Structure formats: C-alpha cells, structure tokens
Amino acid sequence: MTVGVSIPFGIFDRNQGNIARARANERTAEFNLEAGRRALQRETDALQRSIAADQAAIASIDRTVLPQAARALTLAQDGYNRGGFTYLDVIEAQRALSSARQVRLESLKSFHENEAALDRLTARFAEALPGTEIHK
C-alpha cells in the first residue's frame, strides 16, 4: 500500500493566463477607444460639411433667389394693374416668393440644428454651465 500527498507550490505558476487575458482586454479597450474617436471625428466632419452647405444655400437664396422672386412679384403686380397679367400670374409670383422664403427658413433651421449638434459634440459651451469642468 502506497500513499502519496501532492502539494502544489505557486513558485512556477506566474498567473500567465490572467495576465494574457488582462492584456487582451487592454488592447480591446484601446481599439474601442480609437474606434470611438474616429466615429466622433467622422460625425464632426459631417456636421461641419452640413453647416457649410447650409451657409452657402442661405447666402445664395439671400443674394439671388429672394431678390429675383420679389422683383418677379413686383413686375406681376404692375402688369396686373396695367391689365397685362392675370390674377393667377400674381398668385404664382407670390407663391414663388413664399416658397423661396420657406426654403431659406428650412436652411436656417438645418444650419442652427447642425451647429447645436456640433456644439454638443465638441462641448463648446460646457464651461458656461454651472458646476461643469472640462478636462482637455
């Protein structure tokens, strides 16, 4: 009859499995952080492009479309007063001016919404909030 006792000594076990798992978790976290940074940058870039497009649309409407639509309405009203145009022509000119104003308002709304989204994304006004500290 033989009896044996085995006592494992921890001197050869350096916890390599848990160390490797921790390093893998660290790499995963770094990759996720980088992916988040890139997504944030893409969203910021997209908002900046939208803001620039909205500004260009508003400037174009203000510079050319609205003055031309207002002039067309004035000409239609003058022509109607002289008997050269129908009332329908005047209504159409008014509708065109109203439509141009509506497009301008939609562009303004989009501009301000995109600008607010960009401000939220970049925490532009965070320091103005009471009790808020931003660490850069």
Side-chain angles (χ1 to χ4, degrees):
M1 180 172 256
T2 306
V3 176
V5 176
S6 168
I7 301 174
F9 291 110
I11 58 172
F12 297 110
D13 182 14
R14 294 188 180 163
N15 204 13
Q16 294 299 316
N18 287 334
I19 292 172
R21 187 177 307 115
R23 286 185 180 143
N25 288 341
E26 181 182 20
R27 282 193 306 275
T28 301
E30 288 171 358
F31 289 140
N32 288 339
L33 184 61
E34 183 61 27
R37 283 186 186 127
R38 288 181 185 202
L40 183 64
Q41 187 62 48
R42 279 192 306 271
E43 191 172 349
T44 301
D45 293 343
L47 285 169
Q48 289 172 338
R49 283 190 303 272
S50 294
I51 288 169
D54 291 335
Q55 287 175 324
I58 292 165
S60 174
I61 290 169
D62 286 346
R63 189 175 47 254
T64 58
V65 177
L66 284 178
Q68 288 176 359
R71 178 152 168 70
L73 177 60
T74 301
L75 292 174
Q77 288 171 334
D78 288 345
Y80 175 75
N81 291 337
R82 284 183 282 122
F85 291 117
T86 66
Y87 189 66
L88 185 59
D89 295 328
V90 175
I91 296 295
E92 281 299 316
Q94 287 175 340
R95 187 174 300 146
L97 180 59
S98 178
S99 177
R101 288 178 178 161
Q102 182 65 34
V103 169
R104 183 180 186 279
L105 287 176
E106 290 168 3
S107 294
L108 276 172
K109 178 184 173 196
S110 175
F111 169 79
H112 287 294
E113 286 175 346
N114 288 331
E115 197 169 57
L118 183 62
D119 289 344
R120 280 190 303 273
L121 200 62
T122 59
R124 181 174 160 201
F125 295 110
E127 66 275 354
L129 297 173
T132 304
E133 293 182 22
I134 298 295
H135 302 285
K136 293 183 180 180

